[in-house]
Amino acid sequence: MKKVIIPIVAVLLALAVGLGCGYYFFSYRPEKNRAEVTVSKAMFDPDNVRIAGYVKDEEAGRRSLETIYGFTPEQIDAFYANAPEWLAYLLTVEIKNDGTEPVTVLGVESKDNGKDGVYFGKNFGGQLSISAGGKGEAIIPVLCSNGELSDEAVKAIVDGMDLQLIFSKTPAEDAEGNESAEATKTVSVDTTIAGY
């Protein structure tokens, strides 16, 4: 009896190992839903109307400086004390959804925000939804307090700053209209990538 059981156990064990290896090496296992993005291109252009717009409508400009850039009341006052010396830019990044689920790009964050007087806008006027395998563009506003710098010098500062794109799986809505809570992720933005 033992002589019969041992070969059966050996065959079953070999079969289990073979299936396990097949799942591992050949991806037979079902793929989990995942949300992943990459930033593939970046452009950096002067924004010739933003500063004038903030000056022309100061009330709206103050709100924008607070909500978009996270400026404190003191920083807003400093901006308006010397607004003509400030520079504005638009950083455009192309985002590819490499995952199996639609994603929503929520904004940006940077531990270097304010370095050498350069500030990234935290959001870009709304959320950006990208279907699985799709692409989209995010336009990130940038301010610089040193009007004596050239565009190339400001771009060099931006290139040396940490910049993270914040995204999540696009929330699903249930029958009552409630959205699912999705964990956010971040991906680094390399602003030195050549433009279009």
Side-chain angles (χ1 to χ4, degrees):
M1 185 71 171
K2 284 185 181 179
K3 289 182 180 181
V4 173
I5 291 175
I6 290 173
I8 291 173
V9 169
V11 168
L12 290 175
L13 187 58
L15 185 60
V17 170
L19 285 172
C21 289
Y23 273 91
Y24 184 80
F25 289 109
F26 299 106
S27 299
Y28 290 150
R29 63 191 182 280
E31 187 178 47
K32 290 184 178 178
N33 294 341
R34 57 188 176 85
E36 300 295 337
V37 303
T38 53
V39 180
S40 56
K41 294 181 182 178
M43 283 194 329
F44 191 73
D45 298 300
D47 182 352
N48 298 318
V49 298
R50 186 172 298 264
I51 303 298
Y54 288 166
V55 171
K56 184 176 181 180
D57 187 346
E58 185 172 333
E59 186 178 343
R62 284 180 174 271
R63 277 196 309 272
S64 294
L65 291 168
E66 180 183 5
T67 58
I68 296 175
Y69 300 93
F71 278 18
T72 64
E74 293 76 22
Q75 288 174 310
I76 294 171
D77 288 342
F79 171 86
Y80 279 101
N82 205 22
E85 296 303 313
W86 283 67
L87 304 170
Y89 299 88
L90 296 174
L91 173 62
T92 304
V93 295
E94 184 179 277
I95 305 158
K96 184 173 184 292
N97 180 354
D98 298 314
T100 58
E101 295 286 335
V103 297
T104 298
V105 181
L106 306 167
V108 299
E109 63 184 12
S110 173
K111 65 184 180 186
D112 296 330
N113 219 15
K115 175 185 173 186
D116 296 324
V118 174
Y119 301 85
F120 295 113
K122 299 182 298 181
N123 59 64
F124 29 81
Q127 299 177 348
L128 173 65
S129 294
I130 308 174
S131 60
K135 291 182 180 179
E137 282 187 347
I139 301 175
I140 303 162
V142 180
L143 289 180
C144 176
S145 62
N146 186 350
E148 294 185 5
L149 294 178
S150 67
D151 294 343
E152 292 75 19
V154 177
K155 177 65 165 60
I157 294 170
V158 168
D159 288 347
M161 294 174 73
D162 166 79
L163 182 61
Q164 304 286 321
L165 205 66
I166 308 167
F167 70 98
S168 74
K169 177 182 166 185
T170 299
E173 198 172 284
D174 64 19
E176 285 79 38
N178 301 312
E179 287 191 343
S180 60
E182 303 294 342
T184 60
K185 296 182 176 184
T186 59
V187 62
S188 292
V189 176
D190 181 0
T191 61
T192 64
I193 298 172
Y196 312 178

